Amino acid sequence: MTSQNAPRIVSLDEVPPNRRRGGDLRAMLTPPMVGATSGFMGVAIVAPGERVGEHYHPYSEEFVYLVRGELEVDLDGRTYSLRTDQGLMIPAFMRHRFRNEGDTEARMVFHLGPLAPRPDLGHVDTEGTEATQVAS
């Protein structure tokens, strides 16, 4: 079986930051960028004191792996600590938020799959962040 898309290496600096939910989210290996059909992968960079606002994914599971730093993860209102070299699977429909309560930057790789029928259906925000309030 062969792929219809040629392999493509994507660098972090090719993807503009998305700060709408807080933090610096960069969806890197996406359907438009690389022709992915089953999900997408990216990196979240969360500075000390920042958070990624609470949301859920009605169609996708989210897999995260913390490459650097520490994050507090709120899952349906219960807090867990995520440390460097730990991974977490977040089921579809589970509300979640990431908070950097430490004094060093956190970097997290994330993957969501399967894809929602349309990109605008993939995330449901359940709270605002400073970024969403400024954009409103």
Side-chain angles (χ1 to χ4, degrees):
M1 186 172 178
T2 60
S3 172
Q4 294 178 334
N5 299 308
R8 171 136 192 263
I9 295 173
V10 178
S11 296
L12 186 65
D13 61 2
E14 288 181 63
V15 181
N18 177 342
R19 297 186 178 277
R20 189 165 63 92
R21 288 183 178 87
D24 174 351
L25 305 178
R26 302 198 193 194
M28 297 176 64
L29 305 178
T30 64
M33 187 72 85
V34 298
T37 60
S38 64
F40 68 93
M41 193 273 319
V43 175
I45 303 167
V46 187
E50 283 188 329
R51 68 184 165 103
V52 176
E54 187 184 79
H55 62 283
Y56 67 89
H57 310 283
Y59 294 92
S60 308
E61 297 173 327
E62 183 169 4
F63 300 85
V64 300
Y65 177 77
L66 196 60
V67 177
R68 179 188 311 155
E70 300 178 359
L71 289 171
E72 299 301 307
V73 184
D74 301 319
L75 302 173
D76 278 345
R78 185 168 174 199
T79 300
Y80 299 84
S81 296
L82 189 62
R83 304 295 178 238
T84 298
D85 291 333
Q86 291 183 325
L88 170 68
M89 193 280 286
I90 303 168
F93 292 100
M94 181 172 278
R95 292 177 296 114
H96 55 283
R97 133 186 349 102
F98 300 95
R99 296 179 286 117
N100 186 342
E101 302 290 337
D103 57 4
T104 61
E105 176 184 272
R107 285 193 178 219
M108 178 179 70
V109 173
F110 61 86
H111 175 271
L112 281 87
L115 293 169
R118 295 189 327 251
D120 61 309
L121 299 176
H123 288 75
V124 176
D125 292 314
T126 54
E127 72 177 0
T129 63
E130 292 79 17
T132 59
Q133 292 164 3
V134 169
S136 298

